[in-house]
Amino acid sequence: MRWLALIALLPTGVAAQETPRVLSLGGAVTEIVYALGAGEALVGRDQTSTYPAQAEALPDVGYVRRLSPEGILSVEPTLILAEAGAGPVETVTLMEGAGVPWVTIPGGYDADTVPAKVNAVANALGLQEQGDALAAELAQQLADAQAATPDQPLKVMFVMSLQAGRVMAAGQDTAANGMITLAGAQNAITSFDGYKQLTDEAILTAAPDVILMMARAGEHAVTNADLRAHPALGATPAAQNEAVIRMDGMYLLGFGPRTPEAIRDLSARLSALQPEAG
């Protein structure tokens, strides 16, 4: 009953409105909306949508995978653009039942992902011409970034978190694996898909040359000293040589319009860690 009361707050005649009230859920989706020149249509965003800077002025409806109907309905959207995996399912079902169009933008972890996302967002907004132009531009930038990436046989371990001695790392079929590959390097973890906790034995077997992490502050920050103090990570070539790269999470893993730049950035940092020949 509480949800029904909230649904009643939605604007009437939303289908006939010429200018949609767009709620963007997912950092890359929000970046694409702005890149298409449609930022003025946004009435809300999720916690991962922090770029460009003006997005932070929008009402925040919560974390993209833990959304509540109350948070979504508080901004009275007439169109919801959501990254794959946004939810939970119960919230998505309720919004669809309330007649609010919910468009899921496809995900993926390769060079084709970014243009596909752009076209999906543009089509949902009725901006096909702008979408075609932006998708083509980004496809060329991605091709140029990959062409400029030297072969880098370095083994890279992406560490998602290090808490209470437990290492959560990225395996195959992840955004981290996709970016490591696009930058010309190798994922040190090949034995599983997704993100999982590693045993000390698995860390020592992987023996990464480089540790890649998201740049974090406060209680979530992991210093080089923390890495060296870990019984297994501290024994890896990466920790011993302080070969650690930290990058903004959405910039690195979002697969949005900044991905070509992120590929070049990561590749350059990896190249700087290559041992000198001879």
Side-chain angles (χ1 to χ4, degrees):
M1 293 297 295
R2 173 169 53 88
W3 288 351
L4 291 174
L6 288 166
I7 290 171
L9 297 176
L10 285 171
T12 58
V14 294
Q17 292 184 359
E18 293 183 2
T19 303
R21 293 175 56 84
V22 181
L23 171 60
S24 181
L25 304 173
V29 176
T30 301
E31 290 186 33
I32 291 169
V33 173
Y34 278 104
L36 289 168
E40 291 185 359
L42 292 174
V43 296
R45 51 104 184 179
D46 74 300
Q47 289 177 0
T48 69
S49 298
T50 59
Y51 185 92
Q54 56 262 47
E56 296 195 78
L58 294 168
D60 179 353
V61 301
Y63 180 61
V64 67
R65 285 169 175 69
R66 293 194 296 271
L67 298 164
S68 69
E70 295 90 339
I72 291 176
L73 294 173
S74 69
V75 299
E76 300 182 354
T78 62
L79 174 63
I80 298 172
L81 304 179
E83 70 174 24
V89 174
E90 294 80 6
T91 297
V92 179
T93 301
L94 185 68
M95 292 301 101
E96 292 176 335
V100 182
W102 182 294
V103 179
T104 298
I105 306 305
Y109 311 122
D110 59 23
D112 294 332
T113 297
V114 178
K117 284 184 178 181
V118 168
N119 282 323
V121 172
N123 288 341
L125 294 173
L127 300 173
Q128 289 86 350
E129 184 176 346
Q130 294 92 322
D132 288 344
L134 180 59
E137 178 183 354
L138 289 171
Q140 185 60 58
Q141 291 178 7
L142 286 160
D144 292 344
Q146 289 179 272
T149 298
D151 182 31
Q152 299 178 139
L154 292 172
K155 292 192 299 179
V156 181
M157 177 187 289
F158 179 81
V159 175
M160 173 66 77
S161 65
L162 175 59
Q163 296 182 337
R166 296 187 296 271
V167 177
M168 180 76 72
Q172 304 297 295
D173 194 28
T174 59
N177 178 76
M179 286 300 294
I180 290 168
T181 302
L182 288 170
Q186 304 171 21
N187 189 348
I189 305 299
T190 59
S191 58
F192 59 80
D193 292 345
Y195 295 89
K196 294 183 180 179
Q197 288 186 4
L198 298 180
T199 63
D200 287 355
E201 180 181 2
I203 293 171
L204 293 171
T205 299
D209 302 302
V210 179
I211 292 173
L212 177 62
M213 306 182 72
M214 291 188 290
R216 287 174 166 169
E219 62 181 13
H220 298 294
V222 178
T223 67
N224 287 5
D226 294 330
L227 297 173
R228 291 194 303 272
H230 189 277
L233 283 175
T236 64
Q240 291 179 352
N241 296 325
E242 295 201 345
V244 182
I245 297 174
R246 295 177 177 85
M247 298 175 68
D248 175 78
M250 187 54 59
Y251 171 61
L252 175 66
L253 305 177
F255 279 83
R258 293 182 290 165
T259 297
E261 180 184 353
I263 292 171
R264 291 190 293 269
D265 190 350
L266 178 57
S267 178
R269 298 193 197 194
L270 289 170
S271 294
L273 295 173
Q274 287 275 18
E276 296 183 5

